[in-house]
Amino acid sequence: MYDGIVQELIDEFGRLPGIGPKSAQRITFHILQTPSFDVTRLAELLTHVRERVRFCENCGNVAEQELCGICRDPRRNTALICVVEDAKDVSAIERTREFRGLYHVLGGAISPIAGIGPDDLRIAQLMSRLADGTVQEVILATNPNLEGEATASYLSRLLTSMNITVSRLASGLPVGGDLEYADEVTLGRAFEGRRVL
């Protein structure tokens, strides 16, 4: 639609996840039309992110050092490990301020359709973390979809031979939701996870 470099920038923004053609166009024109927008700073940050950010050697979370801030924090409960699919999930759980243990980022979920098997995930690293007997409970916090459930089921079977409690995050109805709009799986989970008041 646009000539040369403007279209190239729109196309580049459009390659980012969650950014469609309209959003890419809006971002591009915001940069073009806002004189105070610091393009140099944005370019520097993108370069620094590529150069400095890596994944924690212990848990797989994003970090600027060998270990992420959570793994370095001596106040964390080392007997609890919460297993998540992606580093974004760590941030979501941290925002709740409910969990004070450590994390393990798998780097995805088992998905035969996408060609992702257990060997493509950070499962071997999880098993080596559990080998010393420090961890007493593993909380499986994979997404409540087909791939997440398959991953949780696989890990649960793998961990049953160890003397570790394996739990799964509860799933069900969202706060503020209406029963009539809930799908069958969500409603079924809500019944399975009910608790006595």
Side-chain angles (χ1 to χ4, degrees):
M1 278 183 71
Y2 299 96
D3 288 335
I5 198 163
V6 172
Q7 188 61 49
E8 287 180 39
L9 186 57
I10 292 170
D11 292 343
E12 203 59 38
F13 280 128
R15 290 178 49 195
L16 296 171
I19 307 281
K22 294 259 186 210
S23 294
Q25 184 177 331
R26 272 195 295 277
I27 294 168
T28 299
F29 277 94
H30 174 76
I31 292 170
L32 290 172
Q33 295 171 342
T34 308
S36 63
F37 189 85
D38 192 352
V39 178
T40 306
R41 176 74 176 139
L42 178 62
E44 285 174 6
L45 286 173
L46 289 172
T47 303
H48 291 319
V49 162
R50 276 292 210 192
E51 292 170 353
R52 293 188 206 165
V53 176
R54 62 182 102 176
F55 294 98
C56 177
E57 291 181 4
N58 191 38
C59 72
N61 192 15
V62 291
E64 288 189 46
Q65 300 175 20
E66 286 183 20
L67 297 178
C68 70
I70 293 171
C71 287
R72 290 192 321 265
D73 187 349
R75 298 169 296 175
R76 302 302 283 221
N77 182 351
T78 58
L80 284 172
I81 289 185
C82 182
V83 177
V84 297
E85 292 179 24
D86 297 303
K88 299 178 301 236
D89 301 330
V90 171
S91 177
I93 294 171
E94 282 296 291
R95 283 194 305 268
T96 69
R97 301 180 196 274
E98 293 292 324
F99 181 70
R100 297 299 305 158
L102 299 175
Y103 293 92
H104 188 82
V105 180
L106 293 173
I110 295 171
S111 175
I113 293 171
I116 301 170
D119 294 337
D120 299 313
L121 305 176
R122 298 184 70 251
I123 294 174
Q125 292 90 332
L126 173 64
M127 299 308 287
S128 66
R129 286 181 74 185
L130 301 177
D132 68 0
T134 305
V135 177
Q136 297 172 2
E137 182 179 0
V138 172
I139 302 165
L140 302 177
T142 54
N143 291 324
N145 55 25
L146 192 60
E147 293 84 4
E149 291 298 330
T151 305
S153 177
Y154 178 84
L155 288 172
S156 178
R157 285 194 309 271
L158 199 62
L159 299 174
T160 52
S161 62
M162 305 177 90
N163 191 21
I164 296 173
T165 302
V166 179
S167 60
R168 178 94 168 107
L169 284 186
S171 60
L173 297 171
V175 173
D178 292 326
L179 288 178
E180 65 180 300
Y181 300 117
D183 63 275
E184 294 83 11
V185 174
T186 301
L187 201 49
R189 288 279 170 77
F191 272 101
E192 287 174 14
R194 70 186 185 278
R195 58 191 168 98
V196 177
L197 298 176

Short mmCIF file of all heavy atoms in Angstrom, two decimals, residues 11-35:
data_model
loop_
_atom_site.label_atom_id
_atom_site.label_comp_id
_atom_site.label_asym_id
_atom_site.label_seq_id
_atom_site.Cartn_x
_atom_site.Cartn_y
_atom_site.Cartn_z
N ASP A 11 5.48 -3.93 7.41
CA ASP A 11 5.62 -5.38 7.25
C ASP A 11 6.42 -6.00 8.40
O ASP A 11 6.10 -7.08 8.90
CB ASP A 11 6.29 -5.72 5.92
CG ASP A 11 5.42 -5.38 4.72
OD1 ASP A 11 4.19 -5.18 4.89
OD2 ASP A 11 5.97 -5.29 3.60
N GLU A 12 7.48 -5.28 8.81
CA GLU A 12 8.33 -5.79 9.90
C GLU A 12 7.57 -5.84 11.22
O GLU A 12 7.65 -6.82 11.95
CB GLU A 12 9.58 -4.93 10.03
CG GLU A 12 10.75 -5.61 10.67
CD GLU A 12 11.21 -6.87 9.95
OE1 GLU A 12 11.21 -6.91 8.72
OE2 GLU A 12 11.57 -7.84 10.66
N PHE A 13 6.82 -4.77 11.53
CA PHE A 13 6.00 -4.78 12.74
C PHE A 13 4.94 -5.87 12.65
O PHE A 13 4.61 -6.52 13.64
CB PHE A 13 5.33 -3.43 12.98
CG PHE A 13 6.23 -2.40 13.60
CD1 PHE A 13 6.37 -1.15 13.02
CD2 PHE A 13 6.93 -2.67 14.76
CE1 PHE A 13 7.20 -0.19 13.59
CE2 PHE A 13 7.77 -1.71 15.33
CZ PHE A 13 7.91 -0.48 14.75
N GLY A 14 4.40 -6.09 11.46
CA GLY A 14 3.38 -7.11 11.26
C GLY A 14 3.87 -8.53 11.48
O GLY A 14 3.07 -9.44 11.69
N ARG A 15 5.17 -8.73 11.46
CA ARG A 15 5.73 -10.06 11.72
C ARG A 15 5.76 -10.40 13.20
O ARG A 15 5.96 -11.55 13.58
CB ARG A 15 7.15 -10.13 11.15
CG ARG A 15 7.17 -10.11 9.63
CD ARG A 15 8.57 -10.13 9.07
NE ARG A 15 9.38 -11.17 9.68
CZ ARG A 15 10.69 -11.24 9.59
NH1 ARG A 15 11.36 -10.34 8.92
NH2 ARG A 15 11.36 -12.22 10.16
N LEU A 16 5.57 -9.39 14.06
CA LEU A 16 5.57 -9.63 15.50
C LEU A 16 4.28 -10.34 15.91
O LEU A 16 3.21 -10.06 15.35
CB LEU A 16 5.70 -8.31 16.26
CG LEU A 16 7.01 -7.55 16.05
CD1 LEU A 16 6.92 -6.17 16.68
CD2 LEU A 16 8.17 -8.32 16.64
N PRO A 17 4.35 -11.25 16.90
CA PRO A 17 3.13 -11.95 17.33
C PRO A 17 2.12 -10.98 17.96
O PRO A 17 2.50 -10.09 18.71
CB PRO A 17 3.64 -12.96 18.36
CG PRO A 17 4.98 -12.46 18.78
CD PRO A 17 5.53 -11.66 17.65
N GLY A 18 0.88 -11.14 17.59
CA GLY A 18 -0.19 -10.31 18.15
C GLY A 18 -0.35 -8.97 17.45
O GLY A 18 -1.22 -8.19 17.81
N ILE A 19 0.49 -8.68 16.47
CA ILE A 19 0.39 -7.42 15.74
C ILE A 19 -0.12 -7.74 14.34
O ILE A 19 0.58 -8.35 13.54
CB ILE A 19 1.76 -6.70 15.62
CG1 ILE A 19 2.41 -6.52 16.98
CG2 ILE A 19 1.63 -5.38 14.87
CD1 ILE A 19 1.89 -5.39 17.81
N GLY A 20 -1.34 -7.33 14.07
CA GLY A 20 -1.90 -7.53 12.74
C GLY A 20 -1.54 -6.36 11.83
O GLY A 20 -0.86 -5.41 12.25
N PRO A 21 -2.01 -6.40 10.59
CA PRO A 21 -1.69 -5.34 9.62
C PRO A 21 -2.11 -3.94 10.08
O PRO A 21 -1.38 -2.98 9.91
CB PRO A 21 -2.44 -5.74 8.36
CG PRO A 21 -2.77 -7.18 8.52
CD PRO A 21 -2.80 -7.47 9.98
N LYS A 22 -3.30 -3.84 10.68
CA LYS A 22 -3.78 -2.52 11.13
C LYS A 22 -2.93 -1.99 12.28
O LYS A 22 -2.58 -0.81 12.31
CB LYS A 22 -5.24 -2.62 11.57
CG LYS A 22 -6.19 -2.93 10.44
CD LYS A 22 -6.85 -1.67 10.01
CE LYS A 22 -7.91 -2.03 8.98
NZ LYS A 22 -8.13 -1.00 8.03
N SER A 23 -2.61 -2.86 13.24
CA SER A 23 -1.78 -2.42 14.37
C SER A 23 -0.39 -2.03 13.89
O SER A 23 0.18 -1.04 14.36
CB SER A 23 -1.67 -3.54 15.41
OG SER A 23 -2.92 -3.78 16.00
N ALA A 24 0.17 -2.80 12.96
CA ALA A 24 1.49 -2.49 12.42
C ALA A 24 1.48 -1.13 11.74
O ALA A 24 2.41 -0.33 11.89
CB ALA A 24 1.92 -3.58 11.43
N GLN A 25 0.41 -0.83 11.03
CA GLN A 25 0.27 0.46 10.35
C GLN A 25 0.15 1.58 11.38
O GLN A 25 0.78 2.63 11.25
CB GLN A 25 -0.96 0.43 9.45
CG GLN A 25 -1.15 1.69 8.64
CD GLN A 25 -2.36 1.56 7.72
OE1 GLN A 25 -2.70 0.47 7.28
NE2 GLN A 25 -2.99 2.67 7.43
N ARG A 26 -0.65 1.36 12.45
CA ARG A 26 -0.80 2.38 13.50
C ARG A 26 0.53 2.68 14.19
O ARG A 26 0.86 3.83 14.45
CB ARG A 26 -1.84 1.93 14.52
CG ARG A 26 -3.25 2.33 14.17
CD ARG A 26 -4.20 2.19 15.35
NE ARG A 26 -4.36 0.82 15.79
CZ ARG A 26 -5.19 -0.06 15.24
NH1 ARG A 26 -5.94 0.29 14.23
NH2 ARG A 26 -5.29 -1.28 15.72
N ILE A 27 1.28 1.63 14.51
CA ILE A 27 2.57 1.82 15.17
C ILE A 27 3.52 2.62 14.26
O ILE A 27 4.17 3.57 14.70
CB ILE A 27 3.20 0.46 15.55
CG1 ILE A 27 2.36 -0.22 16.62
CG2 ILE A 27 4.64 0.64 16.02
CD1 ILE A 27 2.72 -1.68 16.86
N THR A 28 3.57 2.23 13.01
CA THR A 28 4.44 2.91 12.05
C THR A 28 4.09 4.39 11.95
O THR A 28 4.97 5.27 12.02
CB THR A 28 4.35 2.25 10.66
OG1 THR A 28 4.78 0.89 10.79
CG2 THR A 28 5.21 2.97 9.64
N PHE A 29 2.81 4.70 11.81
CA PHE A 29 2.41 6.11 11.68
C PHE A 29 2.55 6.88 12.98
O PHE A 29 2.80 8.09 12.96
CB PHE A 29 1.01 6.22 11.07
CG PHE A 29 1.05 6.12 9.58
CD1 PHE A 29 0.86 4.90 8.94
CD2 PHE A 29 1.34 7.23 8.80
CE1 PHE A 29 0.94 4.78 7.57
CE2 PHE A 29 1.42 7.14 7.42
CZ PHE A 29 1.22 5.91 6.80
N HIS A 30 2.45 6.19 14.11
CA HIS A 30 2.71 6.85 15.38
C HIS A 30 4.17 7.30 15.43
O HIS A 30 4.48 8.43 15.83
CB HIS A 30 2.40 5.92 16.56
CG HIS A 30 2.78 6.49 17.88
ND1 HIS A 30 2.06 7.47 18.51
CD2 HIS A 30 3.86 6.24 18.68
CE1 HIS A 30 2.65 7.80 19.64
NE2 HIS A 30 3.75 7.07 19.76
N ILE A 31 5.07 6.42 15.01
CA ILE A 31 6.49 6.77 14.98
C ILE A 31 6.75 7.93 14.02
O ILE A 31 7.50 8.86 14.34
CB ILE A 31 7.34 5.53 14.60
CG1 ILE A 31 7.28 4.50 15.74
CG2 ILE A 31 8.78 5.91 14.28
CD1 ILE A 31 7.88 3.15 15.39
N LEU A 32 6.12 7.88 12.86
CA LEU A 32 6.33 8.93 11.85
C LEU A 32 5.76 10.28 12.28
O LEU A 32 6.35 11.33 12.00
CB LEU A 32 5.68 8.52 10.52
CG LEU A 32 6.35 7.37 9.77
CD1 LEU A 32 5.49 6.96 8.58
CD2 LEU A 32 7.74 7.77 9.32
N GLN A 33 4.61 10.28 12.94
CA GLN A 33 3.89 11.52 13.23
C GLN A 33 4.18 12.11 14.60
O GLN A 33 3.73 13.21 14.90
CB GLN A 33 2.39 11.30 13.08
CG GLN A 33 1.99 10.96 11.66
CD GLN A 33 0.54 10.51 11.55
OE1 GLN A 33 -0.08 10.14 12.54
NE2 GLN A 33 0.00 10.56 10.34
N THR A 34 4.93 11.40 15.46
CA THR A 34 5.21 11.88 16.80
C THR A 34 6.66 12.32 16.87
O THR A 34 7.57 11.49 17.02
CB THR A 34 4.93 10.79 17.85
OG1 THR A 34 3.63 10.28 17.64
CG2 THR A 34 5.04 11.34 19.26
N PRO A 35 6.91 13.63 16.76
CA PRO A 35 8.30 14.12 16.76
C PRO A 35 9.06 13.76 18.04
O PRO A 35 10.27 13.57 18.01
CB PRO A 35 8.16 15.63 16.63
CG PRO A 35 6.78 15.87 16.13
CD PRO A 35 5.95 14.71 16.58
#
